[in-house]
Amino acid sequence: MSAFATLLSFDTALLVAGIVALYLGAEALVEGASRLAIGLGLRAAIVGVTIVAFATTTPELFVAVLSGLGYSSDLGLGAIIGSNIANIGLVLGISALIQPMAVSTSTLRRHVPFMVTAAIALVVLGMDGRLSAIDGGILLLILGAFTSFLLYRARSTKADAIGADEIDIEDEDEVSAQFKDVLYLGLGLLLLFVGSNWLIQGGKGLLEAYGFSTRFIGLTVLAFGTSLPELAASVISAVRGEAEFSIGNVVGSNIYNVVAVLGILAIMVPVTVPASTISLDFPALLVFTFGVIALMLRNYDVSRLDGGILVGGYLVFFWLILP
């Protein structure tokens, strides 16, 4: 076997191992988050948009920081933009094709506006061709506002739950169950991190072997690879009928990807924004962001027809960025 064929076989093995680890990680993550939501008295939408969303954003953070420090900052930017588009087009689209999902009004009123703010802020700040440390600071300020809002809502929700029903002091079994749930979350996060790393290495190696560009790699294999945790978590939630987790996970991930991941990356190293990103990727991000909101507002759900539209839109985007 030639050295080239051996390299391709190794990269393929990494891809398969990454997919398996991502699936198992998403299963453990959703399981732990679901039980914590019940144990802590929090609504599923809040847990989906915080714990699950932030945990599944970890691969994007890893890829962006690693690429910015040791490879290319615009590769990390492409991965984030591509991941957000994939979250809407593929993750929500495929989840809706499996199981139509109702959209809670609280998600639309409280969380979706932050997703829109993050997308618009990224486009406005990046129109000059770079994301500076100041731009990163602005994104982190938005992150601070979003986190503060979530904490306020979480406390209010917990207080409402306690006010509605008197809750006895937790016994040892309840404490043990919550500790087990936290272990599930930790295991899921670890598997997501390792699985994403393997998938990214394998996919990147395969594409580079066939001569694809850095931008294409960032927008496709890295974006899809880092979106697999969201896809796995959302599909599992959709199958279980936990629509609020699926939608909250995507909305929260898209917020964290921009304001947390790109905010941190821009502070660490200036991020170059290529002309092709300004002319095509930014408009595509806005189209997907406002498009999915329009679909949600139509009947306060994401139907199978909507899912087909989203997946079809992603395929069009993929065709547009082909070299």
Side-chain angles (χ1 to χ4, degrees), residues 26 44 85 156 177 200 213 236 268 304:
I85 293 173
S156 299
I200 290 163
S213 67
I236 291 169
M268 296 177 67
R304 284 195 171 93

Side-chain angles (χ1 to χ4, degrees), residues 88-99 224 231 235 238 307 310-311:
I88 296 173
L90 286 184
V91 176
L92 268 187
I94 292 175
S95 298
L97 288 174
I98 294 174
Q99 179 69 45
F224 179 72
L231 177 60
V235 167
L310 293 174
V311 173

